[in-house]
Amino acid sequence: MDTMSKNERGVYQVGAARARGPSSRAKRVLLTIGGVLLLLAAIPAGVLAATFGGLVPAEDGTELPGGARLVRDRFVNLYLLPAGPGAVALIDCGNDLEGAAIKAELARQGLGTDAVKAIFITHGHGDHIGACRLFPEARVYAFASEVGLVEGIEAAKGPVPRLRGVLRERATRVSHILADGETVHVGPLSVQAFHIPGHTGGSAAYLAGGVLYLGDSAAVERGGTLRGAAWIFSDDQEESREVIRGLARRLEPRRQELQALACGHSGPWSDASPLFGFGH
């Protein structure tokens, strides 16, 4: 005999449904939320793939004209340039605060950190100034509009870099403010600086030993095409592209002098043709 009342039976059925798990509507909500989260995760991955995919691979220890060597610090390049007996200069300082890759290259050459006499900053994003503070005897060179980033006073303006705020733990003091076109001598090494704003306000390119160092203002694709600065990391992508085209026009009379291009995230290219073909 069924002694359960209608109310009791209703309570039992609801309880049984809860025990079996979420309703079909709840499942749909959960699936929707999960899909949105996957989409949000996929967007940055897609942007990063578009930004760094298809570039010339960068290999640690690659030799460049003038005796320079590429030092690979995980996902970013810096460059070590000979500057006379027992002396070197750096183009950027990488991402690692402890400078392990730089120290390893110095040790390979039988040198210590005191051998670093000059540091030329292409721009003040954190992955390019990480180890600068490890070389207190080096003179640090940057353009005036980049000093705030390098010295940890200002935050970057690009869509992604601005999320990191002011990078005080990576700050280093700029000892020499560059003028556009200025040539700096470090022992027998000559380094000419060019102001190329856009990726950041004070981004720099350096010409030394026949190599044009472009930082993150450009990268070289596998087919030899120059790719402009990535918008997601840049203050003003269009300004950067226009300035790079202007740099190509400026250096056209010296085309034969340029033996290689070196960038912050792609491997080097053995001539300057990608620069002079940019935007065409």
Side-chain angles (χ1 to χ4, degrees):
M1 182 176 177
D2 184 4
T3 60
M4 185 180 291
S5 69
K6 289 183 179 181
N7 287 341
E8 289 172 332
R9 190 174 291 112
V11 170
Y12 172 79
Q13 290 171 343
V14 170
R18 286 177 178 170
R20 286 194 299 269
S23 67
S24 59
R25 180 180 179 184
K27 286 180 180 178
R28 288 196 298 271
V29 170
L30 291 173
L31 287 172
T32 301
I33 292 172
V36 170
L37 291 175
L38 286 173
L39 179 61
L40 291 175
I43 289 173
V47 170
L48 290 175
T51 300
F52 299 114
L55 299 180
V56 173
E59 297 183 8
D60 184 63
T62 298
E63 295 187 359
L64 294 100
R69 284 177 67 88
L70 184 158
V71 178
R72 186 72 171 166
D73 182 1
R74 293 181 61 198
F75 56 87
V76 67
N77 305 330
L78 58 108
Y79 299 89
L80 192 146
L81 287 60
V88 299
L90 296 177
I91 306 288
D92 289 337
C93 298
N95 182 64
D96 179 17
L97 289 171
E98 300 305 319
I102 304 174
K103 291 175 181 176
E105 177 57 30
L106 289 171
R108 192 194 68 81
Q109 298 187 25
L111 302 173
T113 56
D114 59 342
V116 179
K117 304 302 181 184
I119 299 170
F120 295 90
I121 304 295
T122 64
H123 63 292
H125 286 167
D127 57 332
H128 291 261
I129 61 172
C132 291
R133 61 182 180 81
L134 301 180
F135 311 104
E137 297 181 18
R139 288 181 63 79
V140 178
Y141 295 84
F143 283 104
S145 44
E146 204 69 3
V147 171
L149 285 183
V150 177
E151 295 192 345
I153 299 169
E154 300 175 3
K157 299 180 177 65
V160 170
R162 75 174 61 174
L163 299 177
R164 299 190 66 184
V166 177
L167 304 178
R168 294 185 180 87
E169 75 283 1
R170 294 173 179 266
T172 192
R173 188 180 66 83
V174 174
S175 14
H176 182 96
I177 294 176
L178 294 162
D180 183 37
E182 178 180 356
T183 297
V184 175
H185 298 280
V186 186
L189 175 67
S190 295
V191 181
Q192 187 174 14
F194 300 95
H195 186 206
I196 52 169
H199 182 60
T200 61
S203 284
Y206 298 103
L207 177 57
V211 182
L212 183 64
Y213 298 90
L214 291 164
D216 286 3
S217 294
V220 184
E221 298 177 348
R222 291 175 185 269
T225 299
L226 196 69
R227 183 185 298 177
W231 72 267
I232 197 169
F233 297 109
S234 301
D235 291 4
D236 189 329
Q237 184 188 47
E238 286 307 311
E239 179 185 24
S240 179
R241 292 177 62 85
E242 181 55 38
V243 168
I244 292 296
R245 287 191 286 266
L247 181 64
R249 293 190 294 269
R250 187 174 180 180
L251 292 175
E252 176 63 40
R254 302 167 63 182
R255 188 168 186 155
Q256 297 305 313
E257 182 183 340
L258 305 184
Q259 302 174 46
L261 300 178
C263 303
H265 292 280
S266 71
W269 194 257
S270 57
D271 61 44
S273 57
L275 174 69
F276 296 107
F278 183 64
H280 299 296

